[in-house]
Amino acid sequence: MNLKLRAVFSMIAIVSLALALTPGVALAASSGSMDSSFSCGSAQPEVGTITTGDDTIYPGQSNTITIPVSDSNTLADIESITVYLYYDADGNFVAPTGTEIPNVHTFVILTWTPEDGWTIEPSGTMWAIDTANCLTPDMGSTSGDFVLAYIPSPVAQESVSGPAEWHIFVVVDDGTTEPVTSYTEGLEMAWYGSVAINTVDGVHWGEVTPGMLFAEGAPSEKDNISVTYICNGAYDEQVASTATWEGGETATATLTADAANPNEFALRADDTTNLVSAVTVSTSYAAIDDTGTITEEAGDTVLTNSIWLQLHSTFASDTYAGAIFYQIAQGTY
């Protein structure tokens, strides 16, 4: 019985070996293809925290606004950046609606596009882009800072007193997705004032008589003095004079309030021809009008300024020369 079993096992082993040694059928490699694609949509850009070089905006000077922007499609995807810069009388932030009409005093729109860079509305005013100090990031990057440098008009509404403030609201648009926004609030616009004396030939009384008193009309009064004031808020018109006026020889005339002593003289001034409302002129500035308010860019020209002269009765014969100053000063509402 044992011999028979061994024979069977041997036959099975031989058959298995024969099958293993029989050549198999070779299969050739083959492949196929089909069209494939995917579409990458436009990602919504992001805008970070808006920063400024200072919490105060200075009219007539370069100021900056830094706008951090990112876009996973790269910044080349950005079609426009719109900056609203505006005055708010009560200081409570409210985003602009986009329907506001720009004006030189309180509402300005600054826009960046790849084609034109930065532009400004209203145009044709003293609001300006300081192009030399604007910076555009690498548009091939996915993030970077847009730096807007701008110069406010001298008559951009001041906000240094009370609750009034200026706000900045920014809209970034890639033309495909919903625009994104950011803002900063609570900025102050510094007070600005300038004065120009248009009567360039000065004030000359010519030859006058010792003891001459203040009086409307010649020879005491010199009128039609033209002065232009430019301001972005409340202002005072002020006047002053040098303390002494030098004679051409050795004499000196001294400015006092009442010309009570020899070689003393007195001056009074107003922005009208009314001597009654005139102020005494001294070396310290005195207000001839304290009701000035925000002007247009061309300024407020006062053509009716007058100055009156009075002399003591004892006065050395000579020609005396000094300086009269007009000043604009910050006023109150």
Side-chain angles (χ1 to χ4, degrees):
M1 184 65 179
N2 292 337
L3 290 173
K4 291 181 178 179
L5 288 173
R6 283 197 292 271
V8 172
F9 293 147
S10 297
M11 290 178 65
I12 293 173
I14 292 169
V15 172
S16 299
L17 178 62
L19 289 174
L21 296 175
T22 301
V25 179
L27 298 176
S30 66
S31 65
S33 67
M34 60 181 178
D35 292 336
S36 303
S37 68
F38 68 88
S39 177
C40 180
S42 180
Q44 188 176 42
E46 296 181 359
V47 56
T49 301
I50 307 304
T51 58
T52 57
D54 197 308
D55 289 339
T56 300
I57 305 170
Y58 296 94
Q61 301 181 30
S62 184
N63 300 260
T64 60
I65 300 172
T66 300
I67 307 163
V69 179
S70 59
D71 192 314
S72 60
N73 301 120
T74 78
L75 296 177
D77 199 42
I78 304 300
E79 290 194 357
S80 68
I81 300 174
T82 305
V83 177
Y84 297 92
L85 179 60
Y86 54 102
Y87 172 79
D88 176 15
D90 63 16
N92 296 320
F93 175 81
V94 176
T97 64
T99 61
E100 294 84 356
I101 299 175
N103 68 83
V104 70
H105 295 299
T106 60
F107 201 97
V108 178
I109 303 174
L110 306 106
T111 305
W112 179 90
T113 61
E115 300 79 15
D116 300 323
W118 288 101
T119 58
I120 193 167
E121 297 179 79
S123 60
T125 72
M126 296 176 73
W127 281 92
I129 303 296
D130 179 12
T131 306
N133 289 307
C134 290
L135 296 175
T136 300
D138 178 1
M139 300 304 286
S141 298
T142 57
S143 65
D145 290 343
F146 290 81
V147 179
L148 164 60
Y150 66 100
I151 302 172
S153 169
V155 297
Q157 176 70 60
E158 64 88 13
S159 62
V160 295
S161 60
E165 295 174 337
W166 281 73
H167 306 312
I168 297 171
F169 187 78
V170 175
V171 180
V172 178
D173 190 0
D174 66 0
T176 303
T177 64
E178 187 71 19
V180 293
T181 64
S182 184
Y183 69 92
T184 186
E185 60 178 312
L187 301 175
E188 302 294 350
M189 183 71 70
W191 183 88
Y192 176 93
S194 67
V195 61
I197 300 175
N198 308 314
T199 306
V200 294
D201 57 349
V203 176
H204 305 284
W205 279 269
E207 186 172 318
V208 291
T209 304
M212 181 181 67
L213 300 177
F214 289 129
E216 292 182 357
S220 173
E221 181 181 4
K222 299 299 293 183
D223 58 6
N224 298 319
I225 301 168
S226 175
V227 181
T228 297
Y229 303 89
I230 298 175
C231 190
N232 67 342
Y235 69 92
D236 296 346
E237 302 170 18
Q238 297 182 341
V239 65
S241 170
T242 49
T244 57
W245 289 25
E246 301 298 326
E249 302 298 331
T250 59
T252 297
T254 302
L255 176 68
T256 64
D258 53 9
N261 299 297
N263 257 55
E264 290 183 350
F265 71 103
L267 296 171
R268 303 198 74 188
D270 195 41
D271 61 350
T272 72
T273 57
N274 185 357
L275 178 59
V276 175
S277 61
V279 299
T280 298
V281 178
S282 70
T283 56
S284 299
Y285 280 99
I288 54 177
D289 190 333
D290 60 2
T291 62
T293 60
I294 188 169
T295 71
E296 298 301 324
E297 289 185 331
D300 181 20
T301 298
V302 181
L303 300 170
T304 54
N305 287 282
S306 297
I307 299 178
W308 291 266
L309 173 66
Q310 179 170 297
L311 302 178
H312 188 269
S313 58
T314 301
F315 230 97
S317 180
D318 206 337
T319 299
Y320 300 89
I324 296 172
F325 308 99
Y326 284 89
Q327 174 177 273
I328 185 171
Q330 186 172 0
T332 56
Y333 289 104

